[in-house]
Amino acid sequence: MLDLSQARLTTLAVHKVGNKVKNQGVVASHELFPLEEETMVDLLEDFFLKPFRAEEFFKFSHPSDLGMNEVYTYCKRLFQESREDFVDTSVHILNHLYDQAMHPQIKPGELFVAHFRECEVDGVTLEAIGLFKTENKDVFLRITDEDNKLNLLAEQGINIRKLDKGCLVFKTFEDDGFSVMMVDKGSEESQYWRDDFLRVTRIQDDSFQTQSFLSMTKDFCEDVFGREQDKKEQVVFLNNAIDYFQHNDSFDVETFKDEVIKTPEYKEQFDLFRQEAEPNYNINPDEGFAISKFAVRQMKRQFKNLIKLDSELEIRFIGKDIEAISEQVERGFDAQRGMFFYKLYFNEEIS
């Protein structure tokens, strides 16, 4: 669990970074940003920390040697160094970020390198290093009053409710790559923040196990179960899987198969699918794990209670008992029209 309500910003360096492909360069600050004004500090803490509400933890990695991960090495320095050395190390991070900006769609922006105290993770109070990049600018209206005459000025600036990219590096598990949380609202083609700049991988904790097993279940439903069952049965299957995770605190694979998969034929197919798929998902559900309710909520968004038809019609299942609701929907084939159909049963139209 994460609690940043008492976190305090102690040190901050601010720089500008451009796109290296476009030779936009960097602007490095040589002094720390002053944090004497309480109102400004409160705004910055809210801007930097509010987006971190997830339970997905990462760690720094490198294919050959963790010590060769630049951001990992620089964060180790920042935790150890004095305020006087903080700016110099932050400039190294700035230059490393610029070196990774090799995609033409990567936007220039500001890089904030920060130090926080009083961050709580799983009940333990920790220090943290924050790295944040702003890219998108919004237009704001500013009103000026000159000699009782009001003027409107349009100005571009950073929207403090929209952090584009960020990470928090907590001072724990240092030898294993620290414990890292990440925000990235960039597009797929410019996901250099995680893969090239930070070089982080998911920590295989309960949240990871929950999310990965549900992803594998979804793939089984589409690739195996869906070869023999129609879309209605697939909706019911996935809803039963979500229900299992919502109503249990710990995962047991045999209980899951009994409550969700049910029939011996599909249980056998599921076990075969797992044997091939589990190495790709980096999970071992036979050992069991505590179910992460946050991960279940995240995955539920991908499990659509919806049947899309090629006739520009959709059937959406709404309610708590999807399996019972599905009994009011029948699928068939009209030989005269040469088309499939769904028959819906209801008592009255309510809107």
Side-chain angles (χ1 to χ4, degrees):
M1 295 296 291
L2 177 71
D3 184 1
L4 300 176
S5 60
Q6 302 302 314
R8 293 295 172 260
L9 174 63
T10 66
T11 313
L12 179 65
V14 185
H15 311 287
K16 291 184 71 68
V17 59
N19 184 301
K20 190 169 184 177
V21 175
K22 299 178 181 179
N23 295 312
Q24 293 175 334
V26 301
V27 178
S29 174
H30 299 291
E31 296 181 355
L32 292 174
F33 184 85
L35 297 174
E36 288 81 13
E37 188 178 340
E38 186 175 346
T39 302
M40 175 60 73
V41 173
D42 290 342
L43 285 173
L44 289 171
E45 288 174 348
D46 188 65
F47 174 50
F48 292 147
L49 301 178
K50 194 172 183 179
F52 293 91
R53 294 293 182 266
E55 294 181 5
E56 295 181 352
F57 285 90
F58 298 77
K59 62 180 180 180
F60 291 114
S61 64
H62 193 276
S64 57
D65 186 346
L66 180 59
M68 296 177 67
N69 183 307
E70 290 89 342
V71 180
Y72 167 76
T73 301
Y74 294 139
C75 284
K76 284 181 67 174
R77 289 189 198 174
L78 291 174
F79 280 126
Q80 299 167 359
E81 290 175 339
S82 63
R83 286 173 54 87
E84 290 72 22
D85 298 318
F86 194 92
V87 171
D88 291 339
T89 301
S90 73
V91 172
H92 286 302
I93 295 175
L94 168 70
N95 292 328
H96 174 57
L97 177 61
Y98 182 65
D99 287 340
Q100 309 311 312
M102 297 299 293
H103 192 288
Q105 292 189 13
I106 294 175
K107 298 178 181 179
E110 294 75 31
L111 172 68
F112 301 83
V113 182
H115 176 269
F116 298 90
R117 294 190 182 275
E118 308 301 323
C119 302
E120 188 172 307
V121 181
D122 293 331
V124 180
T125 301
L126 301 168
E127 296 177 56
I129 298 298
L131 308 176
F132 314 97
K133 186 191 175 192
T134 55
E135 296 176 336
N136 298 298
K137 301 296 187 292
D138 286 345
V139 177
F140 299 90
L141 291 178
R142 183 166 67 90
I143 301 176
T144 62
D145 183 359
E146 299 178 3
D147 299 326
N148 294 324
K149 182 181 179 181
L150 298 179
N151 295 312
L152 284 176
L153 300 176
E155 298 180 345
Q156 274 200 337
I158 299 170
N159 188 333
I160 61 171
R161 292 180 176 82
K162 297 179 181 179
L163 178 64
D164 295 309
K165 290 177 169 58
C167 81
L168 285 175
V169 182
F170 298 101
K171 192 178 181 182
T172 184
F173 303 113
E174 177 179 318
D175 293 339
D176 197 34
F178 289 115
S179 184
V180 181
M181 299 189 78
M182 189 186 65
V183 171
D184 188 355
K185 296 182 179 178
S187 57
E188 290 292 330
E189 63 268 15
S190 63
Q191 282 188 347
Y192 73 107
W193 179 258
R194 182 182 74 178
D195 299 332
D196 301 323
F197 172 59
L198 296 175
R199 282 193 177 184
V200 292
T201 57
R202 276 288 298 274
I203 294 177
Q204 296 177 21
D205 54 10
D206 293 331
S207 176
F208 175 87
Q209 295 282 338
T210 301
Q211 183 175 335
S212 295
F213 190 87
L214 279 170
S215 293
M216 186 184 69
T217 301
K218 184 173 182 287
D219 290 342
F220 169 78
C221 179
E222 294 173 351
D223 298 342
V224 179
F225 187 79
R227 288 201 300 258
E228 301 173 0
Q229 301 293 332
D230 59 34
K231 290 293 184 181
K232 185 189 78 168
E233 295 303 322
Q234 293 177 54
V235 167
V236 172
F237 180 94
L238 292 177
N239 188 76
N240 288 340
I242 286 289
D243 279 349
Y244 173 87
F245 276 83
Q246 286 181 320
H247 294 104
N248 289 277
D249 295 324
S250 59
F251 177 83
D252 177 79
V253 68
E254 294 302 324
T255 306
F256 175 83
K257 289 192 295 184
D258 289 341
E259 296 185 10
V260 176
I261 301 176
K262 300 178 181 178
T263 63
E265 175 189 357
Y266 284 117
K267 285 183 182 181
E268 183 178 347
Q269 292 186 47
F270 184 71
D271 286 335
L272 292 172
F273 184 84
R274 284 175 53 209
Q275 290 176 14
E276 296 181 2
E278 281 174 7
N280 298 325
Y281 290 90
N282 294 314
I283 56 175
N284 185 10
D286 288 333
E287 298 178 359
F289 52 85
I291 293 174
S292 165
K293 300 304 180 184
F294 172 83
V296 175
R297 291 194 297 272
Q298 294 293 99
M299 289 302 298
K300 187 176 181 179
R301 298 172 185 173
Q302 301 180 28
F303 286 35
K304 305 295 185 182
N305 295 332
L306 179 71
I307 300 175
K308 290 186 176 182
L309 308 176
D310 59 3
S311 54
E312 298 185 6
L313 295 172
E314 294 181 348
I315 301 174
R316 187 181 300 274
F317 296 80
I318 301 174
K320 293 183 178 180
D321 193 345
I322 299 299
E323 191 163 9
I325 294 172
S326 70
E327 297 298 324
Q328 303 171 43
V329 180
E330 292 183 6
R331 188 177 188 270
F333 182 77
D334 187 318
Q336 185 174 355
R337 295 192 180 188
M339 298 174 68
F340 292 97
F341 65 85
Y342 277 101
K343 183 188 293 184
L344 310 180
Y345 292 90
F346 63 95
N347 292 315
E348 60 179 324
E349 297 175 346
I350 59 176
S351 64

